[in-house]
């Protein structure tokens, strides 16, 4: 195998890869051996047809596709290593020559890592975040915990109120004609949740059990069902059940029930400490993000479109894995959202560009600042990961190859670059 490298515009390159004729012949023979059990020609037993006869009957190209599919990944991988290029995209492959007895030639167009020219990246001014926790915020957290520990009671001595969950029957009419999908039986609805169209839930406040109520609404102009968009409707409703939350008293007994503390004051202090810690972490992240954003603005780089496409495709793949982990296939997701893979990829592109810019700038900062990750730092990270995955450190090291280890070192160097930039920043 030989490879020639041609530098193209906008950080692209073309590899011309030549594979010896004997390697092509081996791939053709392998393709024949793989397919021969399925080949049937009169006069020969199935699976016993000579290769020469198959090629004579169907043409010499009959095994080309399988041979090429086997050859290209292996030969491209070797060529990419031999080229010395820092390739940052999937290759765009074109077959230039394929013929029995001749050199197999194909090209691969790839994006190469862009060069970055840094501007100012130290001593940058960023907004100062407020990390003070107010009494109102503590009370809001306390209220959330109170709501979580509320019990549900049936209400029979009063009409429905905001915040109640009602169980109702309803049927919708437009111009006195019932419309499809506008009816429901024993439907649970929390008043004030805004889960129905605007104005619906408010008109059920004050409704009594088993008493008919007419709810008059107008569908929004952008309503998903076009036949109803912008139209006035009447929903005839009957509430069969009213449930309300009964909140526990906020006292020392409450604190004992929901925490490890004996008094409400101690529990409030714990809430305030946790909120302070959360705000400080959020402020640290916001500061780091602001510093990186400014460093990107001050830097110059030319990112090839193929690199952006590859990053967006990787992000779509990650998204698909997350969706599948929740028990939903991508086909189902596309059906529910009315999107497709191309539109999803286009939606990912702005974020893909941002990720690429951030990584390129931070890698350049690490290079300029001579940031090197020591074995001690690497082992600390491996120990942290091992604890997270509940496994032995040595076992984790065994599972990691050279590529994964090198990538971890790069990630740690990038994080040190972020810390260096954030530490030097001026908060205003």
């Amino acid at each position: 195998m030989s490879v020639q490298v041609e530098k193209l515009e906008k950080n692209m390159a073309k590899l011309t890869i030549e594979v010896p004729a004997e390697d092509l012949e081996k791939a053709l023979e392998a393709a024949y051996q793989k397919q021969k059990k399925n080949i049937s020609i009169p006069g020969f037993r199935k699976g016993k047809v000579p290769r020469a006869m198959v090629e004579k009957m169907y043409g010499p190209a009959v095994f080309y596709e399988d041979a090429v599919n086997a050859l290209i990944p292996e030969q491209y991988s070797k060529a990419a290593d031999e080229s010395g290029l820092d390739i940052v995209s999937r290759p765009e492959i074109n077959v230039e020559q394929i013929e029995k007895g001749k050199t197999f030639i194909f090209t691969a167009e790839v994006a190469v890592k862009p060069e970055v020219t840094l501007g100012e990246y130290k001593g940058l001014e960023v907004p100062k975040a407020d990390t003070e926790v107010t009494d109102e915020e503590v009370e809001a957290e306390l209220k959330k915990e109170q709501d979580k520990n509320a019990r549900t009671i049936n209400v029979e001595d009063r009409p429905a109120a905001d915040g109640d969950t009602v169980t109702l029957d309803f049927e919708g009419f437009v111009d006195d004609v019932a419309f499809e999908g506008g009816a429901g039986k024993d439907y649970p609805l929390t008043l004030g949740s805004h889960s129905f169209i605007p104005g619906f839930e408010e008109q059920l406040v004050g409704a009594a059990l088993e008493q008919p109520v007419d709810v008059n609404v107008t569908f929004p102009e952008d309503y998903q069902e076009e036949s109803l968009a912008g139209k006035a409707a009447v929903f005839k409703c009957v509430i069969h059940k009213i449930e309300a939350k009964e909140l526990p008293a906020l006292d020392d007994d409450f604190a004992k029930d929901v925490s490890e503390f004996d008094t409400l004051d101690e529990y409030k202090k714990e809430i305030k400490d946790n909120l302070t810690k959360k705000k400080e972490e959020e402020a640290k992240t916001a500061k780091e993000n602001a510093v990186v954003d400014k460093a990107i603005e001050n830097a110059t780089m030319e990112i090839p479109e193929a690199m952006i496409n590859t990053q967006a495709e990787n992000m779509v793949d990650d998204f698909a894995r997350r969706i599948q982990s929740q028990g939903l296939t991508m086909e189902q997701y596309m059906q529910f959202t009315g999107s497709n893979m191309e539109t999803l990829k286009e939606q990912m592109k702005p974020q893909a560009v941002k990720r690429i810019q951030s990584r390129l700038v931070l890698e350049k900062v690490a290079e300029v600042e001579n940031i090197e990750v020591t074995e001690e730092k690497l082992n600390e990270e491996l120990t942290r990961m091992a604890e997270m995955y509940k496994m032995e450190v040595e076992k984790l090291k065994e599972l990691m190859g050279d590529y994964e280890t090198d990538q971890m070192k790069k990630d740690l160097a990038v994080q040190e670059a972020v810390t260096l930039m954030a530490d030097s920043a001026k908060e205003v």
Side-chain angles (χ1 to χ4, degrees), residues 370-408:
N370 295 314
I371 295 174
E372 293 184 3
V373 176
T374 63
E375 287 301 314
E376 182 183 359
K377 284 272 187 186
L378 180 62
N379 285 328
E380 285 177 6
E381 179 64 12
L382 287 168
T383 300
R384 185 191 68 79
M385 286 181 63
E387 289 174 354
M388 184 170 67
Y389 292 117
K390 294 181 172 54
M391 61 191 301
E392 297 292 329
V393 176
E394 293 306 316
K395 183 65 177 175
L396 180 60
K397 287 181 179 179
E398 288 175 17
L399 295 173
M400 291 181 63
D402 291 340
Y403 172 81
E404 287 79 13
T405 302
D406 289 343
Q407 194 60 43
M408 184 178 288

Side-chain angles (χ1 to χ4, degrees), residues 143 145-155 158 163-165 243-250 254:
K143 182 72 169 63
E145 195 63 35
Q146 186 187 30
D147 283 340
K148 278 166 51 180
N149 286 272
R151 69 188 185 97
T152 301
I153 59 170
N154 283 331
V155 175
R158 65 164 174 80
D164 288 346
T165 297
E243 295 175 301
K245 280 184 177 180
E246 187 174 70
L247 299 174
L250 293 177
F254 175 77

Side-chain angles (χ1 to χ4, degrees), residues 103-127:
T103 301
F104 171 50
I105 304 172
F106 69 98
T107 61
E109 282 199 20
V110 294
V112 295
K113 183 178 178 180
E115 187 57 43
V116 177
T117 303
L118 292 174
E120 290 295 324
Y121 63 90
K122 287 196 285 191
L124 299 172
E125 291 188 351
V126 296

Side-chain angles (χ1 to χ4, degrees), residues 224-327:
Q224 59 189 6
E225 176 52 58
E226 293 181 5
S227 64
L228 297 173
K231 291 190 176 178
V234 177
F235 283 87
K236 296 188 177 297
C237 307
V238 177
I239 295 176
H240 300 303
K241 186 178 183 182
I242 301 173
E243 295 175 301
K245 280 184 177 180
E246 187 174 70
L247 299 174
L250 293 177
D251 53 21
D252 291 345
D253 287 336
F254 175 77
K256 290 175 185 175
D257 288 340
V258 301
S259 73
E260 59 187 30
F261 301 101
D262 292 328
T263 68
L264 187 62
D265 287 341
E266 289 175 312
Y267 181 44
K268 283 185 177 181
K269 183 181 182 304
E270 172 74 1
I271 291 175
K272 186 169 186 175
D273 290 345
N274 289 338
L275 286 175
T276 300
K277 183 179 178 182
K278 181 183 177 184
K279 277 197 171 186
E280 287 172 350
E281 290 172 352
E282 288 172 348
K284 177 176 179 289
T285 300
K287 181 181 179 182
E288 291 175 348
N289 290 340
V291 167
V292 173
D293 286 346
K294 283 211 166 186
I296 290 171
E297 288 177 19
N298 296 338
T300 56
M301 67 198 93
E302 186 175 30
I303 303 173
E305 190 65 24
M307 185 181 188
I308 298 170
N309 286 333
T310 297
Q311 179 67 48
E313 287 163 7
N314 290 340
M315 290 167 65
V316 170
D317 291 342
D318 288 342
F319 178 74
R321 281 191 286 272
R322 290 199 303 274
I323 286 290
Q324 286 163 3
S325 71
Q326 297 168 14

